[in-house]
Coordinates of all heavy atoms in Angstrom, one line a residue:
N281 N 31.1 8.8 -14.7 CA 32.2 9.8 -14.5 C 33.5 9.0 -14.1 O 33.4 8.0 -13.4 CB 31.9 10.8 -13.4 CG 30.7 11.7 -13.9 OD1 30.8 12.4 -14.8 ND2 29.6 11.6 -13.2
L282 N 34.6 9.5 -14.5 CA 35.9 8.9 -14.2 C 36.8 10.0 -13.6 O 36.9 11.1 -14.0 CB 36.5 8.4 -15.5 CG 38.0 7.8 -15.4 CD1 38.0 6.6 -14.5 CD2 38.5 7.5 -16.8
R283 N 37.5 9.6 -12.5 CA 38.4 10.4 -11.8 C 39.7 9.7 -11.6 O 39.7 8.5 -11.4 CB 37.8 10.8 -10.4 CG 38.6 11.8 -9.6 CD 38.1 12.0 -8.2 NE 38.4 11.0 -7.3 CZ 39.5 10.8 -6.7 NH1 40.5 11.7 -6.8 NH2 39.7 9.8 -5.9
V284 N 40.8 10.5 -11.7 CA 42.1 9.9 -11.6 C 42.8 10.6 -10.4 O 42.6 11.8 -10.2 CB 43.0 10.0 -12.8 CG1 43.2 11.5 -13.2 CG2 44.3 9.3 -12.7
S285 N 43.5 9.8 -9.6 CA 44.1 10.4 -8.3 C 45.3 11.4 -8.6 O 45.5 12.3 -7.9 CB 44.6 9.3 -7.4 OG 45.6 8.5 -8.1
A286 N 45.9 11.2 -9.8 CA 47.1 12.1 -10.1 C 47.1 12.2 -11.6 O 47.1 11.2 -12.3 CB 48.4 11.6 -9.6
S287 N 47.2 13.4 -12.1 CA 47.3 13.6 -13.6 C 48.8 13.5 -14.1 O 49.0 13.5 -15.3 CB 46.7 14.9 -14.0 OG 47.3 16.0 -13.4
A288 N 49.7 13.5 -13.1 CA 51.2 13.4 -13.5 C 51.8 12.6 -12.4 O 51.6 12.8 -11.2 CB 51.8 14.8 -13.6
V289 N 52.6 11.6 -12.8 CA 53.4 10.8 -11.9 C 54.8 10.6 -12.4 O 55.0 10.8 -13.6 CB 52.7 9.4 -11.6 CG1 51.4 9.5 -11.0 CG2 52.6 8.6 -12.9
T290 N 55.7 10.1 -11.6 CA 57.1 9.8 -12.0 C 57.3 8.3 -11.9 O 56.9 7.7 -11.0 CB 58.0 10.6 -11.1 OG1 57.7 12.0 -11.1 CG2 59.5 10.4 -11.5
V291 N 58.0 7.8 -12.9 CA 58.3 6.4 -13.0 C 59.3 6.0 -11.8 O 60.3 6.8 -11.6 CB 59.0 6.0 -14.3 CG1 59.5 4.6 -14.3 CG2 58.0 6.2 -15.4
P292 N 59.2 5.0 -11.1 CA 58.0 4.1 -11.1 C 56.9 4.8 -10.3 O 57.2 5.4 -9.2 CB 58.4 2.8 -10.4 CG 59.5 3.3 -9.5 CD 60.2 4.5 -10.2
G293 N 55.7 4.8 -10.7 CA 54.6 5.6 -10.1 C 53.3 4.8 -10.2 O 53.2 3.9 -10.9
E294 N 52.3 5.3 -9.5 CA 51.0 4.7 -9.4 C 49.9 5.8 -9.4 O 50.1 6.8 -8.9 CB 50.9 3.8 -8.2 CG 49.7 2.9 -8.2 CD 49.7 1.9 -7.0 OE1 50.5 0.9 -7.1 OE2 49.0 2.2 -6.1
A295 N 48.8 5.5 -10.0 CA 47.6 6.3 -10.0 C 46.4 5.4 -9.8 O 46.4 4.3 -10.2 CB 47.5 7.1 -11.2
T296 N 45.4 5.9 -9.1 CA 44.1 5.2 -8.9 C 43.0 5.8 -9.8 O 42.9 7.0 -9.7 CB 43.7 5.2 -7.4 OG1 44.8 4.7 -6.7 CG2 42.5 4.4 -7.2
L297 N 42.3 5.0 -10.5 CA 41.2 5.4 -11.3 C 39.9 5.0 -10.7 O 39.8 3.8 -10.3 CB 41.3 4.8 -12.7 CG 42.6 5.2 -13.5 CD1 42.9 4.2 -14.6 CD2 42.5 6.6 -14.0
E298 N 39.0 5.9 -10.5 CA 37.7 5.6 -9.8 C 36.6 6.0 -10.7 O 36.5 7.1 -11.2 CB 37.7 6.3 -8.5 CG 36.6 5.9 -7.6 CD 36.8 6.5 -6.2 OE1 37.7 7.3 -6.0 OE2 35.9 6.2 -5.4
V299 N 35.6 5.1 -10.9 CA 34.5 5.3 -11.8 C 33.2 5.4 -11.0 O 33.0 4.6 -10.0 CB 34.3 4.2 -12.8 CG1 33.1 4.5 -13.8 CG2 35.6 4.0 -13.6
W300 N 32.4 6.4 -11.3 CA 31.0 6.5 -10.7 C 30.0 6.3 -11.8 O 30.1 6.9 -12.8 CB 30.8 7.8 -10.1 CG 31.5 8.1 -8.8 CD1 31.2 7.7 -7.6 CD2 32.7 8.8 -8.6 NE1 32.1 8.1 -6.6 CE2 33.1 8.8 -7.3 CE3 33.6 9.5 -9.5 CZ2 34.2 9.4 -6.8 CZ3 34.7 10.1 -9.0 CH2 35.0 10.1 -7.7
A301 N 29.1 5.4 -11.6 CA 28.0 5.1 -12.6 C 26.7 5.0 -11.9 O 26.6 4.4 -10.8 CB 28.3 3.8 -13.4
D302 N 25.6 5.5 -12.5 CA 24.3 5.5 -11.9 C 23.3 5.5 -13.0 O 23.5 6.1 -14.0 CB 24.1 6.7 -11.0 CG 22.8 6.6 -10.1 OD1 22.5 5.5 -9.7 OD2 22.2 7.6 -9.9
D303 N 22.1 4.8 -12.7 CA 21.0 4.8 -13.6 C 19.8 4.4 -12.9 O 19.8 3.6 -11.9 CB 21.3 3.8 -14.8 CG 20.2 3.9 -15.9 OD1 20.4 4.9 -16.7 OD2 19.3 3.1 -15.9
T304 N 18.6 4.9 -13.3 CA 17.4 4.6 -12.6 C 17.0 3.1 -12.8 O 16.4 2.6 -11.9 CB 16.2 5.5 -13.2 OG1 16.1 5.3 -14.6 CG2 16.4 6.9 -12.8
S305 N 17.4 2.5 -13.9 CA 17.1 1.1 -14.0 C 18.1 0.2 -13.5 O 18.0 -1.1 -13.5 CB 16.8 0.7 -15.5 OG 18.0 0.8 -16.2
G306 N 19.2 0.7 -13.0 CA 20.3 0.0 -12.5 C 21.5 -0.1 -13.4 O 21.3 -0.1 -14.7
V307 N 22.7 -0.3 -12.9 CA 23.9 -0.4 -13.8 C 24.2 -1.9 -13.9 O 24.4 -2.5 -12.9 CB 25.1 0.4 -13.2 CG1 26.3 0.2 -14.0 CG2 24.7 1.9 -13.1
A308 N 24.3 -2.4 -15.1 CA 24.6 -3.8 -15.4 C 26.1 -4.0 -15.4 O 26.6 -5.0 -15.0 CB 23.9 -4.2 -16.7
A309 N 26.9 -3.1 -16.0 CA 28.3 -3.3 -16.2 C 29.0 -2.0 -16.3 O 28.4 -1.0 -16.9 CB 28.6 -4.2 -17.4
V310 N 30.2 -1.9 -15.9 CA 31.1 -0.8 -16.0 C 32.4 -1.3 -16.6 O 33.0 -2.3 -16.1 CB 31.3 0.0 -14.7 CG1 32.4 1.1 -14.8 CG2 30.0 0.6 -14.2
E311 N 33.0 -0.6 -17.6 CA 34.2 -0.9 -18.2 C 35.2 0.2 -18.1 O 34.8 1.4 -18.3 CB 34.1 -1.3 -19.7 CG 33.2 -2.5 -19.9 CD 32.9 -2.8 -21.4 OE1 32.8 -1.8 -22.1 OE2 32.9 -3.9 -21.8
L312 N 36.4 -0.1 -17.8 CA 37.5 0.9 -17.8 C 38.3 0.7 -19.1 O 38.7 -0.5 -19.4 CB 38.4 0.8 -16.6 CG 39.6 1.7 -16.5 CD1 39.1 3.2 -16.4 CD2 40.5 1.4 -15.3
L313 N 38.5 1.7 -19.8 CA 39.2 1.6 -21.1 C 40.5 2.4 -21.1 O 40.6 3.5 -20.6 CB 38.4 2.1 -22.3 CG 37.0 1.4 -22.4 CD1 35.9 2.3 -22.0 CD2 36.8 0.9 -23.8
E314 N 41.6 1.8 -21.6 CA 42.8 2.5 -21.9 C 43.1 2.6 -23.3 O 43.1 1.6 -24.0 CB 44.0 1.8 -21.2 CG 45.3 2.5 -21.4 CD 46.5 1.8 -20.9 OE1 46.4 0.7 -20.3 OE2 47.7 2.3 -21.1
A315 N 43.1 3.8 -23.9 CA 43.3 4.1 -25.3 C 42.2 3.3 -26.1 O 42.5 2.8 -27.2 CB 44.7 3.7 -25.8
G316 N 41.0 3.2 -25.6 CA 39.9 2.6 -26.3 C 39.8 1.1 -26.1 O 38.8 0.4 -26.5
N317 N 40.8 0.5 -25.4 CA 40.7 -1.0 -25.2 C 40.3 -1.3 -23.7 O 40.7 -0.6 -22.8 CB 42.1 -1.6 -25.4 CG 42.6 -1.4 -26.8 OD1 41.9 -1.6 -27.8 ND2 43.8 -0.8 -27.0
V318 N 39.4 -2.3 -23.6 CA 38.9 -2.6 -22.3 C 40.1 -3.2 -21.4 O 40.8 -4.1 -21.7 CB 37.8 -3.7 -22.3 CG1 37.3 -4.1 -20.9 CG2 36.6 -3.1 -23.2
L319 N 40.2 -2.5 -20.2 CA 41.3 -2.8 -19.3 C 40.7 -3.6 -18.1 O 41.3 -4.5 -17.6 CB 41.9 -1.5 -18.8 CG 43.1 -1.6 -17.9 CD1 44.3 -2.3 -18.6 CD2 43.5 -0.2 -17.5
Q320 N 39.5 -3.3 -17.7 CA 38.8 -3.9 -16.6 C 37.3 -3.8 -16.7 O 36.8 -2.8 -17.2 CB 39.2 -3.2 -15.3 CG 38.6 -3.7 -14.0 CD 39.1 -5.0 -13.6 OE1 40.2 -5.3 -13.7 NE2 38.2 -5.9 -13.0
T321 N 36.6 -4.9 -16.3 CA 35.1 -4.9 -16.3 C 34.6 -5.2 -14.9 O 35.1 -6.1 -14.3 CB 34.6 -5.9 -17.4 OG1 35.1 -5.6 -18.7 CG2 33.1 -5.9 -17.4
W322 N 33.6 -4.5 -14.5 CA 32.9 -4.7 -13.2 C 31.4 -4.9 -13.4 O 30.8 -4.3 -14.3 CB 33.1 -3.6 -12.2 CG 34.5 -3.2 -11.9 CD1 35.2 -3.8 -10.9 CD2 35.3 -2.2 -12.4 NE1 36.5 -3.2 -10.8 CE2 36.5 -2.2 -11.7 CE3 35.1 -1.2 -13.4 CZ2 37.6 -1.3 -12.0 CZ3 36.1 -0.3 -13.7 CH2 37.3 -0.4 -13.0
S323 N 30.8 -5.7 -12.6 CA 29.4 -5.9 -12.6 C 28.8 -5.3 -11.3 O 27.5 -5.2 -11.2 CB 29.0 -7.4 -12.7 OG 29.6 -8.1 -11.6
A324 N 29.6 -4.8 -10.4 CA 29.1 -4.2 -9.2 C 30.2 -3.3 -8.6 O 31.4 -3.5 -8.8 CB 28.7 -5.3 -8.1
P325 N 29.8 -2.2 -7.9 CA 30.7 -1.3 -7.3 C 31.5 -2.0 -6.2 O 31.0 -3.0 -5.7 CB 29.9 -0.1 -6.8 CG 28.5 -0.6 -6.8 CD 28.4 -1.8 -7.7
P326 N 32.6 -1.5 -5.7 CA 33.3 -0.3 -6.2 C 34.0 -0.5 -7.5 O 34.5 -1.5 -7.8 CB 34.2 0.1 -5.1 CG 34.6 -1.3 -4.5 CD 33.4 -2.1 -4.6
Y327 N 34.0 0.6 -8.3 CA 34.7 0.6 -9.6 C 36.0 1.3 -9.4 O 36.2 2.5 -9.8 CB 33.9 1.2 -10.7 CG 32.4 0.8 -10.7 CD1 31.4 1.7 -10.4 CD2 32.0 -0.5 -10.9 CE1 30.0 1.3 -10.5 CE2 30.7 -0.9 -10.9 CZ 29.7 0.0 -10.7 OH 28.4 -0.4 -10.7
V328 N 37.0 0.6 -8.9 CA 38.3 1.3 -8.6 C 39.4 0.4 -9.2 O 39.4 -0.8 -9.1 CB 38.5 1.4 -7.1 CG1 39.9 2.0 -6.7 CG2 37.4 2.2 -6.5
Y329 N 40.4 1.1 -9.8 CA 41.5 0.3 -10.4 C 42.8 1.1 -10.2 O 42.9 2.3 -10.4 CB 41.3 0.2 -11.9 CG 42.2 -0.7 -12.7 CD1 42.0 -2.0 -12.7 CD2 43.3 -0.1 -13.4 CE1 42.9 -2.9 -13.4 CE2 44.1 -1.0 -14.1 CZ 43.9 -2.3 -14.1 OH 44.8 -3.2 -14.8
A330 N 43.9 0.4 -9.7 CA 45.2 1.0 -9.5 C 46.1 0.6 -10.6 O 46.2 -0.5 -11.0 CB 45.8 0.5 -8.2
V331 N 46.8 1.6 -11.2 CA 47.7 1.4 -12.3 C 49.1 1.7 -11.8 O 49.4 2.8 -11.3 CB 47.3 2.4 -13.5 CG1 48.3 2.1 -14.7 CG2 45.9 2.2 -13.9
A332 N 50.0 0.8 -12.1 CA 51.4 1.0 -11.8 C 52.1 1.3 -13.1 O 52.1 0.4 -14.0 CB 52.0 -0.3 -11.1
F333 N 52.7 2.4 -13.2 CA 53.4 2.8 -14.4 C 54.9 2.4 -14.4 O 55.6 2.7 -13.4 CB 53.3 4.3 -14.6 CG 51.8 4.8 -14.8 CD1 51.2 5.3 -13.7 CD2 51.2 4.6 -16.0 CE1 49.8 5.7 -13.8 CE2 49.8 5.0 -16.1 CZ 49.2 5.5 -15.0
K334 N 55.4 1.9 -15.5 CA 56.8 1.4 -15.5 C 57.6 2.2 -16.6 O 58.8 2.0 -16.7 CB 56.9 -0.1 -15.8 CG 56.3 -0.9 -14.6 CD 56.3 -2.3 -14.9 CE 55.6 -3.1 -13.7 NZ 55.4 -4.4 -14.0
S335 N 56.8 2.9 -17.5 CA 57.5 3.7 -18.5 C 56.9 5.0 -18.7 O 55.7 5.2 -18.4 CB 57.6 2.9 -19.8 OG 56.2 2.6 -20.3
A336 N 57.7 5.9 -19.2 CA 57.2 7.3 -19.4 C 56.2 7.4 -20.6 O 56.3 6.5 -21.5 CB 58.4 8.2 -19.7
G337 N 55.4 8.4 -20.6 CA 54.4 8.5 -21.7 C 53.1 9.2 -21.2 O 53.0 9.5 -20.0
T338 N 52.2 9.3 -22.1 CA 50.9 9.9 -21.7 C 49.9 8.8 -21.9 O 49.8 8.2 -23.0 CB 50.5 11.1 -22.5 OG1 51.5 12.1 -22.3 CG2 49.1 11.7 -22.1
Y339 N 49.1 8.5 -20.9 CA 48.1 7.4 -20.9 C 46.7 8.0 -20.8 O 46.5 8.8 -20.0 CB 48.3 6.4 -19.8 CG 49.7 5.8 -19.8 CD1 50.8 6.4 -19.3 CD2 49.9 4.5 -20.4 CE1 52.1 5.8 -19.4 CE2 51.1 3.9 -20.5 CZ 52.2 4.6 -20.0 OH 53.5 4.0 -20.0
R340 N 45.8 7.5 -21.7 CA 44.4 8.1 -21.8 C 43.4 7.0 -21.3 O 43.5 5.9 -21.8 CB 44.0 8.6 -23.2 CG 44.8 9.8 -23.5 CD 44.4 10.4 -24.9 NE 43.0 10.6 -25.1 CZ 42.4 11.7 -24.7 NH1 43.1 12.7 -24.2 NH2 41.1 11.9 -24.9
Y341 N 42.5 7.4 -20.4 CA 41.6 6.4 -19.9 C 40.2 7.0 -20.0 O 40.0 8.2 -20.0 CB 41.8 6.1 -18.4 CG 43.2 5.5 -18.2 CD1 44.3 6.3 -17.8 CD2 43.3 4.1 -18.3 CE1 45.5 5.7 -17.6 CE2 44.6 3.5 -18.1 CZ 45.6 4.3 -17.7 OH 46.9 3.8 -17.5
S342 N 39.2 6.1 -20.2 CA 37.8 6.5 -20.1 C 37.0 5.4 -19.5 O 37.5 4.3 -19.4 CB 37.2 6.9 -21.5 OG 37.3 5.8 -22.4
A343 N 35.7 5.6 -19.2 CA 34.9 4.6 -18.6 C 33.6 4.5 -19.4 O 33.1 5.5 -19.9 CB 34.6 4.9 -17.1
R344 N 33.1 3.3 -19.5 CA 31.8 3.1 -20.2 C 30.9 2.3 -19.3 O 31.3 1.4 -18.6 CB 32.1 2.3 -21.5 CG 31.0 2.1 -22.4 CD 31.4 1.6 -23.8 NE 32.3 0.5 -23.7 CZ 33.2 0.2 -24.7 NH1 33.3 1.0 -25.7 NH2 34.0 -0.8 -24.6
A345 N 29.6 2.7 -19.2 CA 28.6 2.1 -18.4 C 27.4 1.6 -19.2 O 27.0 2.3 -20.1 CB 28.2 3.0 -17.2
R346 N 26.9 0.5 -18.9 CA 25.7 -0.1 -19.5 C 24.6 -0.3 -18.5 O 24.9 -0.9 -17.4 CB 26.0 -1.4 -20.2 CG 24.8 -2.0 -21.0 CD 25.2 -3.2 -21.8 NE 26.1 -4.1 -21.1 CZ 25.7 -5.1 -20.3 NH1 24.4 -5.3 -20.0 NH2 26.6 -5.9 -19.7
D347 N 23.4 0.2 -18.7 CA 22.3 0.0 -17.7 C 21.6 -1.3 -18.0 O 21.9 -2.0 -19.0 CB 21.4 1.2 -17.6 CG 20.6 1.4 -18.9 OD1 20.5 0.5 -19.7 OD2 20.0 2.5 -19.0

Side-chain angles (χ1 to χ4, degrees):
N281 294 295
L282 175 61
R283 186 184 75 83
V284 63
S285 62
S287 60
V289 296
T290 302
V291 170
E294 192 173 283
T296 301
L297 299 160
E298 193 169 2
V299 181
W300 287 280
D302 188 38
D303 189 78
T304 56
S305 71
V307 176
V310 171
E311 296 173 324
L312 178 65
L313 302 110
E314 179 183 358
N317 300 310
V318 176
L319 186 62
Q320 177 72 36
T321 302
W322 297 277
S323 58
Y327 314 118
V328 179
Y329 189 81
V331 182
F333 299 100
K334 297 179 183 170
S335 59
T338 300
Y339 299 83
R340 291 183 54 86
Y341 298 95
S342 61
R344 187 166 46 207
R346 181 175 43 85
D347 68 14

